Amino acid sequence: MNKYQLKITSRELSIKPYFGFMPKIKAFALLAVLIFATVPFMGNWMNNHIRYTLYGIGAIMVFYAIYDFLFNVNVKFLFDKNAGVIYRINAPFLRQRLMTFEEMTIINVSGDPGCMEYAIGQKKKQFMKNYSISDIFTNSKKSNAREQEYVEQVLNPILEFVKSDHSS
């Protein structure tokens, strides 16, 4: 479950729930490089409309990859046991205090029919404002196995870490 970059120390737990976007970012960047590297050499083979369309597709891939890299992949949730607080950190930009351990609840969010993800939210407000901490799971056998692995290797350690703060 390296996909979530879960790191636990005695005083902090951190998780990067969107780090799994990295292969998609690499694929988009590679496709964009291929487009920008090969299209100029196909001068007589294709007309300008196709060339500009391919450049547009390459540009969209580059912007999508940059956006995901800056605003999704680098998002980290930090559970600070010293302060009993959960922070959302977007590496190049800001550190936002979300809630205390006592206010945290984990919910199942289902956006599309047959799809579900885990999210953290503040008790009594968890359906208005919540933060996804997992990938989307479906009802397939493969997804059920991924969900079970997520629960055992990521979600349970998070719950144990938060609960251990109350007993210390």
Side-chain angles (χ1 to χ4, degrees):
M1 287 261 98
N2 194 27
K3 172 180 176 178
Y4 293 100
Q5 298 288 299
L6 180 69
K7 294 182 181 137
I8 303 173
T9 67
S10 63
R11 303 311 302 163
E12 290 183 346
L13 179 145
S14 67
I15 181 174
K16 287 186 170 185
Y18 315 118
F19 195 76
F21 289 5
M22 197 58 115
K24 183 171 43 171
I25 291 171
K26 289 178 181 177
F28 274 29
L30 178 67
L31 287 173
V33 166
L34 286 174
I35 287 172
F36 290 124
T38 59
V39 169
F41 298 109
M42 298 182 178
N44 296 333
W45 187 73
M46 68 175 67
N47 66 31
N48 285 338
H49 297 297
I50 294 173
R51 179 178 292 119
Y52 294 141
T53 301
L54 288 173
Y55 283 145
I57 291 170
I60 289 170
M61 287 181 178
V62 167
F63 288 125
Y64 182 79
I66 290 171
Y67 177 84
D68 263 359
F69 184 76
L70 290 177
F71 298 108
N72 286 327
V73 170
N74 288 320
V75 171
K76 175 169 64 171
F77 291 96
L78 177 70
F79 294 73
D80 184 356
K81 197 178 277 192
N82 291 334
V85 174
I86 302 167
Y87 296 99
R88 181 177 189 258
I89 302 169
N90 194 343
F93 303 111
L94 60 103
R95 178 180 180 143
Q96 177 186 14
R97 182 185 184 275
L98 299 179
M99 64 198 84
T100 64
F101 286 1
E102 292 81 25
E103 297 171 324
M104 183 200 84
T105 187
I106 294 182
I107 60 171
N108 296 335
V109 179
S110 53
D112 297 327
C115 296
M116 188 271 303
E117 63 185 330
Y118 291 97
I120 57 173
Q122 204 170 2
K123 290 178 183 168
K124 298 183 183 176
K125 297 179 184 177
Q126 70 265 27
F127 298 110
M128 292 184 279
K129 184 80 172 172
N130 55 57
Y131 305 91
S132 173
I133 58 169
S134 76
D135 202 359
I136 294 174
F137 301 109
T138 60
N139 290 329
S140 70
K141 285 184 181 181
K142 189 176 181 180
S143 184
N144 287 340
R146 280 189 315 111
E147 180 182 2
Q148 186 63 33
E149 183 182 16
Y150 174 82
V151 168
E152 290 171 5
Q153 295 183 10
V154 177
L155 192 60
N156 286 342
I158 290 173
L159 291 172
E160 289 172 18
F161 185 84
V162 170
K163 287 180 184 173
S164 70
D165 178 58
H166 298 303
S167 61
S168 334

